[in-house]
Amino acid sequence: MKIKFSLLSLILLSCSSQAATNNQPKIDPYTYLLYGAKTESNAHINVKTFTGNIGNYGYQPSIEVSTSTAGQTNEYSVTVNQIFNGIADLKQTLLKPDGLTDDDFIDFLAHQYVPKLKLTPRSLKNGTAEVTEEDTNIDTVNCDFVGLFDSSNSKVFETHNVPEDGVKYQSTFSCTSDALQKNDVVYDISLDYGGIVFQPHFPKETTKGYRIVFLEGENHFSKETIPNGTVKPMVYLNYSFKDVQPEAIAAHPTGPNTQFKYFIDKASGIAEYDPLSERITIENSLSAVIDSLSALGYTASAERVDTKNEANLIFTKRNLPPHVRAGAAWDSTLNKNVIWIDNYDEITSGHFNIGNVYQRQSPIITHEIAHVIGLPHQQENITSIVSGADYITGDKLAPSLSANKQNIVFSYVDSQSLHSLSE
Ligand SMILES: [Zn+2]
């Protein structure tokens, strides 16, 4: 009897133990991964806005805005080109224990990636190209996230492949508002990735890193390229080059560089007294830039110095690729801005300055100086000294603040970029 009782207890004990294991709630993979991401100090994915390569930088927009088809004039599609980094590391960190699949990880990423795009309106100050801080009566536009797409236009998380580091993906948003049709309105773009895993490469990207400008045919911008009455959105960067692409041209670390101490490299072949010397074009271009900046209300100066050491801007001649007449670069060894002028100018068959008999400023040199100030390239169809390199004339030039000084270099869009840089 005694033995029987013991055996019964043992059976009951093992039964209840079995039942407890079966009923114990299993932690779901999403909660498990979220907990892991929260506790691992470096578990995040770096999101970088794609800026094109150095060669065609700026002509490949980071953010594309396309207008709707006819009949749906209030709908806009905004696409942000992005590159993620740290996905592989995050996967390795979080999937250490067995039992979690790629699909669990993809599901986790899909739920973590909840970007929000907001367009905050600002108005152009009447009669100038300046963007005002004042609130307008126009509502902030909220956009809906459509999805993250790969190069073959498939939705990334729905393909059940883990997204790859260093590959370009596109986040697309759909924005709807009557206000988007208003003229002379500039929208600051705020982009926030939500979740805890996706983090912007530059903190600025979640605030006012970019701007959309909506233009109409009757406006001052790009007049002849936009048919009368057509609303066309434009996007331009609100970054200095240093922020966007450190190896490219850098603005002064403390803001736009408008105080030039320039050195002309005579040893490279820039003659001092030859009437055809590039020196004359360089100095005319610099004065045009300085006067124009002053006309727009900025403090600007140019002083020639005798040594490279004293300079913050060096003009030098060298061989450049065919049909490249000049270039600007941040020389990280010298820690200075350098503007190169081609040794041989195919367009004028020889001397760069030969076509410049009237000794005007050269739009090519002013374009390069604009980069040194910190202005990045603009889309080709925007009238800007940093899109094409041609003289900007008439009502495309930003209006001067006083009659004493004339702006002869910067367009309306340039003026807005300068304003953005100095904010
Ligand atoms: Zn350029």
Side-chain angles (χ1 to χ4, degrees):
M1 189 67 186
K2 199 183 174 190
I3 294 166
K4 268 186 180 170
F5 179 79
S6 292
L7 190 65
L8 187 66
S9 320
L10 197 70
I11 291 161
L12 283 170
L13 196 73
S14 80
C15 280
S16 72
S17 152
Q18 187 62 47
T21 308
N22 284 345
N23 290 342
Q24 197 175 335
K26 215 176 123 196
I27 189 160
D28 73 284
Y30 183 81
T31 310
Y32 181 86
L33 290 168
L34 185 66
Y35 179 76
K38 276 181 178 164
T39 50
E40 290 286 339
S41 55
N42 263 334
H44 69 261
I45 295 166
N46 182 307
V47 190
K48 202 172 181 176
T49 304
F50 180 72
T51 54
N53 61 48
I54 292 173
N56 64 1
Y57 170 72
Y59 290 108
Q60 193 147 19
S62 307
I63 299 178
E64 294 161 51
V65 180
S66 48
T67 40
S68 58
T69 48
Q72 295 173 307
T73 49
N74 302 339
E75 281 184 23
Y76 292 81
S77 163
V78 178
T79 296
V80 186
N81 290 310
Q82 291 161 320
I83 289 172
F84 300 114
N85 275 305
I87 299 172
D89 287 348
L90 182 75
K91 190 182 161 194
Q92 211 192 8
T93 307
L94 298 183
L95 297 192
K96 262 177 208 158
D98 293 330
L100 292 174
T101 62
D102 272 4
D103 268 356
D104 292 331
F105 186 60
I106 291 163
D107 179 59
F108 172 67
L109 292 186
H111 281 89
Q112 280 289 305
Y113 194 67
V114 281
K116 288 186 182 71
L117 185 80
K118 214 164 72 180
L119 306 181
T120 307
R122 303 173 78 188
S123 55
L124 289 179
K125 205 187 270 178
N126 194 25
T128 77
E130 234 175 82
V131 180
T132 62
E133 300 288 341
E134 297 126 51
D135 286 337
T136 64
N137 292 324
I138 302 153
D139 291 337
T140 292
V141 177
N142 289 297
C143 303
D144 295 324
F145 179 53
V146 178
L148 183 70
F149 295 87
D150 65 15
S151 57
S152 52
N153 219 25
S154 311
K155 278 196 180 177
V156 169
F157 299 118
E158 287 174 14
T159 57
H160 295 280
N161 292 321
V162 176
E164 286 173 63
D165 286 324
V167 172
K168 193 170 86 168
Y169 294 109
Q170 301 185 315
S171 290
T172 299
F173 300 85
S174 161
C175 311
T176 311
S177 172
D178 291 346
L180 288 176
Q181 288 194 77
K182 289 250 183 182
N183 201 14
D184 275 355
V185 175
V186 171
Y187 290 87
D188 279 344
I189 301 179
S190 343
L191 185 58
D192 192 306
Y193 301 118
I196 57 159
V197 168
F198 292 91
Q199 287 172 21
H201 184 68
F202 293 114
K204 253 184 152 181
E205 284 178 11
T206 52
T207 56
K208 53 176 186 180
Y210 298 93
R211 215 164 247 180
I212 297 181
V213 187
F214 290 90
L215 310 172
E216 274 185 2
E218 280 303 285
N219 205 346
H220 291 285
F221 309 103
S222 303
K223 219 170 172 179
E224 81 282 351
T225 59
I226 301 169
N228 188 14
T230 309
V231 182
K232 186 174 171 130
M234 297 282 174
V235 174
Y236 66 93
L237 287 170
N238 187 20
Y239 281 126
S240 72
F241 264 18
K242 189 160 187 284
D243 284 342
V244 178
Q245 200 119 28
E247 64 269 43
I249 301 143
H252 192 276
T254 56
N257 180 10
T258 58
Q259 314 287 320
F260 300 113
K261 285 178 187 290
Y262 68 97
F263 173 78
I264 294 181
D265 190 357
K266 289 186 252 178
S268 73
I270 305 176
E272 188 65 30
Y273 297 112
D274 182 343
L276 295 178
S277 170
E278 293 84 358
R279 182 188 63 80
I280 297 161
T281 313
I282 290 167
E283 296 195 315
N284 285 343
S285 303
L286 265 172
S287 348
V289 169
I290 299 307
D291 289 350
S292 298
L293 284 170
S294 314
L296 296 175
Y298 297 96
T299 311
S301 64
E303 178 201 341
R304 187 167 173 186
V305 294
D306 296 328
T307 63
K308 277 187 187 174
N309 245 357
E310 299 165 86
N312 60 16
L313 171 59
I314 294 166
F315 289 92
T316 188
K317 280 181 84 170
R318 63 180 283 175
N319 284 326
L320 292 172
H323 304 291
V324 176
R325 306 180 77 189
W330 175 259
D331 187 319
S332 48
T333 315
L334 292 172
N335 228 23
K336 293 172 196 303
N337 287 290
V338 177
I339 290 179
W340 301 310
I341 294 165
D342 195 13
N343 273 326
Y344 179 80
D345 180 19
E346 294 88 355
I347 296 166
T348 56
S349 308
H351 223 286
F352 187 91
N353 208 34
I354 231 162
N356 198 13
V357 285
Y358 301 108
Q359 301 191 343
R360 290 175 72 184
Q361 90 277 16
S362 148
I364 293 155
I365 308 273
T366 52
H367 172 110
E368 304 308 339
I369 298 169
H371 283 325
V372 174
I373 292 169
L375 298 178
H377 280 147
Q378 301 295 347
Q379 292 175 38
E380 277 173 283
N381 55 354
I382 291 179
T383 299
S384 161
I385 193 65
V386 276
S387 51
D390 208 350
Y391 293 106
I392 295 165
T393 54
D395 62 7
K396 287 175 189 169
L397 282 167
S400 308
L401 294 178
S402 81
N404 297 338
K405 284 238 158 85
Q406 280 305 300
N407 164 40
I408 57 167
V409 171
F410 300 105
S411 73
Y412 261 76
V413 170
D414 295 331
S415 172
Q416 287 181 50
S417 295
L418 285 165
H419 189 69
S420 305
L421 278 177
S422 58
E423 276 176 336

